[in-house]
Amino acid sequence: MHSIAVAGHLCLDIAPRLRETPDVTPGHLSEVGPLAITLGGSVANTGGALADLGAEVTPFASVGQDELGSILAAQLNARGFSEPQLCASSVATTSYSLVIEKPGADRAFWHHTGANDQFDGTNVFLDGHGLLHVGYPPLLPRMLNEGGRPLYDLLSRARAAHVTSSLDLAVVDPRSAVGALDWSGILGLALSETDIATPSLDDLTSALQIEEPYSPALVDRLADRMLADGAAVVAISAGHHGLLVKTASAARLREGGAVLAPHAETWSDRTLIVQSRRVVNPVTTNGAGDASTAGLLFALARGATLEQAASLATACSAVVMSGIRPTPSTILSLDSTLAPLFTPGAAA
């Protein structure tokens, strides 16, 4: 199976267990439960899910020279990543998120981007990798300089090296500095060199300042827009509304690098809508979208059909929402039809 480089946003998620939304009134004491400190960000979430599935994953990110940086590095090593490539900044602290999530509700984040502000992609080395995934550019401000030129340069290097590229986004806060950027231009430039794009609907509507409510037509229109910008495969997750996967021509897929090109004839010119899987006892939504991306990429690297890839994407998302890591055993307990993807020798 192809080795996968996962680059971009990395942080620690610091999450107190909550029974109710905490009261932040000055002087008020809110009782909370035990604290969990876990890896967070696209590099950890997508990369970790890929590693859980059985892929060889090398992370590339920036951290600070501080205690949180040491904790983060130790957790990466414990998670089984292959030789983490971390740039230790002497001027920025390690990124972290305070995850505010009570049972049965979506989470909120209090986020410090920290050393992610220093990440520009220049230290991502592509030799030996068949696939590059780049995550959360809205939280990587240096990647957005000059209209997103550093992001474009990294994706362009991947194409020149015949490495399949994948890009995921994050919600763009309109009140932030990056919220004032020309996201139509940034995405257009990046997608001209991107093979696989896996944003959520919320990512896209926040970046493009679209206030239109969900509809299948809106998701389809956004997918067509990204294909027109140059992407070969677009997968838009829309929460409980499901996952839309849409692909470009066989000629475009043949230009998609070592992992995507072999799928040119079977994946091309397709539209696939997959319903989200029912989660009986949801524990968290944190990382569910990243897990979906991981499932799609893992299946692609294993030579799967488009239907298998979309099915694994939704299975990974559901498992993570259940509070479980997406290992082959947990995936197969949910959907035994995916067993061929975990059979030795199945990979291209």
Side-chain angles (χ1 to χ4, degrees), residues 19-34:
R19 292 190 296 269
E20 58 186 17
T21 303
D23 187 339
V24 295
T25 302
H28 182 83
L29 175 66
S30 293
E31 183 177 346
V32 298

Side-chain angles (χ1 to χ4, degrees), residues 200-232:
S200 72
L201 180 60
D202 288 343
D203 295 340
L204 289 172
T205 55
S206 65
L208 299 174
Q209 299 182 5
I210 296 173
E211 297 183 359
E212 182 179 342
Y214 166 82
S215 69
L218 170 62
V219 180
D220 194 64
R221 188 169 74 246
L222 289 171
D224 284 341
R225 174 175 177 164
M226 288 189 287
L227 292 174
D229 282 337

Side-chain angles (χ1 to χ4, degrees), residues 6-325:
V6 179
H9 185 269
L10 179 64
C11 68
L12 284 174
D13 283 346
I14 302 173
R17 187 183 302 165
L18 301 177
R19 292 190 296 269
E20 58 186 17
T21 303
D23 187 339
V24 295
T25 302
H28 182 83
L29 175 66
S30 293
E31 183 177 346
V32 298
L35 184 71
I37 301 178
T38 57
L39 294 169
S42 175
V43 168
N45 293 342
T46 303
L50 282 164
D52 286 339
L53 291 167
E56 179 183 345
V57 182
T58 301
F60 293 84
S62 296
V63 299
Q65 297 178 7
D66 52 23
E67 290 181 310
L68 287 183
S70 299
I71 294 172
L72 192 152
Q75 291 208 9
L76 283 174
N77 289 324
R79 188 68 185 268
F81 283 104
S82 176
E83 299 181 0
Q85 302 295 305
L86 302 179
C87 291
S89 172
S90 60
V91 298
T93 55
T94 298
S95 175
Y96 69 90
S97 291
L98 296 179
V99 184
I100 311 302
E101 181 177 35
K102 65 178 182 178
D106 200 355
R107 76 279 191 211
F109 296 101
W110 298 348
H111 182 65
H112 171 59
T113 56
N116 288 303
D117 290 348
Q118 309 295 311
F119 185 84
D120 63 5
T122 55
N123 289 324
V124 176
F125 304 107
L126 299 172
D127 290 349
H129 300 296
L131 193 154
L132 165 70
H133 176 69
V134 182
Y136 296 5
L139 300 177
L140 303 167
R142 281 200 180 182
M143 296 288 277
L144 307 177
N145 287 343
E146 301 178 59
R149 179 60 58 173
L151 176 60
Y152 168 87
D153 289 343
L154 175 57
L155 296 166
S156 181
R157 281 202 291 121
R159 173 167 288 192
H162 197 58
V163 174
T164 300
S165 62
S166 168
L167 179 65
D168 193 11
L169 302 178
V171 170
V172 177
D173 184 351
R175 301 163 298 180
S176 68
V178 298
L181 300 177
D182 174 19
W183 277 97
S184 179
I186 291 170
L187 290 178
L189 185 65
L191 291 170
S192 70
E193 293 292 325
T194 298
D195 296 314
I196 304 163
T198 61
S200 72
L201 180 60
D202 288 343
D203 295 340
L204 289 172
T205 55
S206 65
L208 299 174
Q209 299 182 5
I210 296 173
E211 297 183 359
E212 182 179 342
Y214 166 82
S215 69
L218 170 62
V219 180
D220 194 64
R221 188 169 74 246
L222 289 171
D224 284 341
R225 174 175 177 164
M226 288 189 287
L227 292 174
D229 282 337
V233 176
V234 173
I236 301 177
S237 55
H240 67 275
H241 296 292
L243 177 72
L244 169 72
V245 184
K246 207 163 190 178
T247 65
S249 67
R252 172 62 184 91
L253 268 65
R254 282 193 289 270
E255 299 173 353
V259 175
L260 182 58
H263 297 269
E265 304 305 323
T266 57
W267 278 43
S268 61
D269 296 312
R270 298 284 306 280
T271 298
L272 187 63
I273 300 174
V274 182
Q275 296 301 312
S276 59
R277 296 175 187 259
R278 182 171 176 263
V279 179
V280 177
N281 295 306
V283 174
T284 182
T285 57
N286 193 22
D290 294 311
S292 176
T293 294
L296 183 77
L297 297 180
F298 180 86
L300 176 70
R302 296 291 289 184
T305 66
L306 185 63
E307 288 80 5
Q308 287 174 319
S311 185
L312 183 58
T314 59
C316 287
S317 181
V319 165
V320 167
M321 289 180 66
S322 299
I324 306 170
R325 287 167 60 170

